[in-house]
């Protein structure tokens, strides 16, 4: 039996990694990130085991919308399902990559980009803007996005999940956030900050986007990957 082939679609989750930005009340822009450090080091734990063994326990502090992550409906709607409520069959689905490379910052893509012959019902639809090449740079902050008309097409088609290789599926200049609103209202999780989608064009695959089962979490980093068929 042949072994499965996998493609990792996840940015490294590391101390000081790129995160999201928000403005404080005084207009100061704050960038949120992850902090990762030893809680207990090998040196500190070695005496606990009479010098015969040692272990590190790692401590992490982060907002859940950093790295490659998934938004559950609770991200947009109070009282809606959180990441712990999502079932595995909602998070592991046949995948379709839509090639939308070559777009300009803040260019909206409409329904014409969807393949005419694709059955998108129950599929994870991933939009490859090629924006992962800008990860960690200022260029990553201004990006093309999924238009409201395209979102309507996706919801009508019955997609299971939508993913992008940008920092936001919505135009961050639009406070109504129609992409998140319509997808999450329809129960469709959103994955952002994907990478490496170039490897999946014209290849059948299953997309895995499973977070830890965190009760009360509206979003959560994931190890996103494709299982090639």
């Amino acid at each position: 039996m042949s072994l499965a082939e996998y493609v990792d679609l996840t940015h490294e989750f590391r101390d000081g990694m790129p995160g999201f930005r928000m403005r404080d009340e005084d207009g100061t822009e704050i960038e949120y990130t992850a902090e990762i450090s030893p809680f207990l080091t090998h040196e500190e734990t070695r005496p606990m085991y009479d010098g015969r063994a040692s272990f590190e326990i790692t401590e992490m502090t982060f907002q859940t919308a950093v790295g490659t992550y998934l938004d559950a409906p609770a991200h947009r709607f109070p009282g809606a399902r959180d990441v712990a409520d999502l079932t595995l069959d909602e998070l592991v689905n046949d995948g379709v990559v839509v090639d939308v490379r070559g777009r300009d910052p803040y260019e909206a893509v409409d329904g014409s980009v969807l393949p005419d012959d694709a059955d998108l019902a129950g599929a994870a639809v991933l939009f490859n803007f090629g924006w992962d090449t800008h990860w960690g740079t200022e260029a990553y902050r201004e990006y093309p996005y999924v238009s409201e008309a395209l979102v309507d097409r996706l919801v009508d088609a019955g997609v299971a999940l939508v993913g992008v290789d940008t920092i936001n599926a919505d135009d961050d200049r639009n406070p109504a956030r129609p992409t998140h609103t319509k997808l999450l209202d329809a129960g469709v999780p959103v994955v952002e900050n994907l990478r490496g989608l170039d490897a999946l064009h014209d290849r059948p695959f299953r997309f895995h986007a499973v977070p830890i089962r965190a009760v009360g979490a509206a979003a959560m980093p994931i190890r996103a990957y494709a299982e090639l068929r």
Side-chain angles (χ1 to χ4, degrees):
M1 185 176 72
S2 62
L3 296 176
E5 183 180 352
Y6 300 98
V7 177
D8 196 337
L9 305 174
T10 313
H11 286 287
E12 287 186 335
F13 198 93
R14 61 170 60 206
D15 184 71
M17 67 187 293
F20 63 94
R21 293 175 180 172
M22 296 184 68
R23 291 192 182 277
D24 206 346
E25 292 181 357
D26 62 1
T28 303
E29 192 170 63
I30 302 173
E31 181 166 347
Y32 294 88
T33 183
E35 297 179 3
I36 305 173
S37 61
F39 175 72
L40 289 174
T41 66
H42 285 279
E43 291 73 18
E44 290 170 329
T45 59
R46 188 170 289 111
M48 302 176 185
Y49 302 95
D50 297 328
R52 301 172 64 186
S54 67
F55 300 91
E56 179 181 306
I57 298 176
T58 306
E59 182 173 52
M60 301 174 64
T61 303
F62 58 91
Q63 292 72 38
T64 58
V66 296
T68 303
Y69 69 95
L70 175 142
D71 289 328
H75 176 58
R76 176 64 181 83
F77 299 104
R81 295 191 302 156
D82 61 24
V83 296
D85 291 322
L86 301 177
T87 61
L88 291 177
D89 60 352
E90 293 178 275
L91 302 171
V92 181
N93 298 282
D94 289 338
V96 175
V97 172
V98 181
D99 189 354
V100 284
R101 291 172 291 185
R103 309 288 166 152
D104 294 325
Y106 290 123
E107 179 179 349
V109 293
D110 60 24
S112 65
V113 303
L114 295 177
D116 294 331
D117 57 348
D119 181 7
L120 301 182
V125 182
L126 313 179
F127 291 91
N128 181 16
F129 292 99
W131 226 248
D132 55 328
T133 60
H134 300 301
W135 175 256
T137 72
E138 283 302 306
Y140 195 71
R141 304 289 175 178
E142 297 183 354
Y143 53 89
Y145 62 93
V146 176
S147 71
E148 189 170 357
L150 176 50
V151 172
D152 290 337
R153 288 276 304 274
L154 295 170
V155 171
D156 289 344
V159 302
L161 180 148
V162 171
V164 295
D165 61 357
T166 59
I167 197 171
N168 200 328
D170 266 297
D171 177 357
D172 65 5
R173 301 167 303 177
N174 183 353
R177 297 296 198 270
T179 297
H180 281 83
T181 298
K182 292 189 174 186
L183 290 175
L184 296 177
D185 186 46
V188 179
V190 178
V191 174
E192 292 162 323
N193 292 329
L194 287 165
R195 62 174 293 276
L197 295 176
D198 289 5
L200 301 180
H201 288 276
D202 301 318
R203 304 189 70 175
F205 66 95
R206 293 273 282 173
F207 179 65
H208 297 246
V210 182
I212 63 171
R213 197 173 182 183
V215 175
M220 187 60 62
I222 58 175
R223 185 69 178 265
Y225 65 94
E227 180 182 0
L228 302 182
R229 292 183 166 181

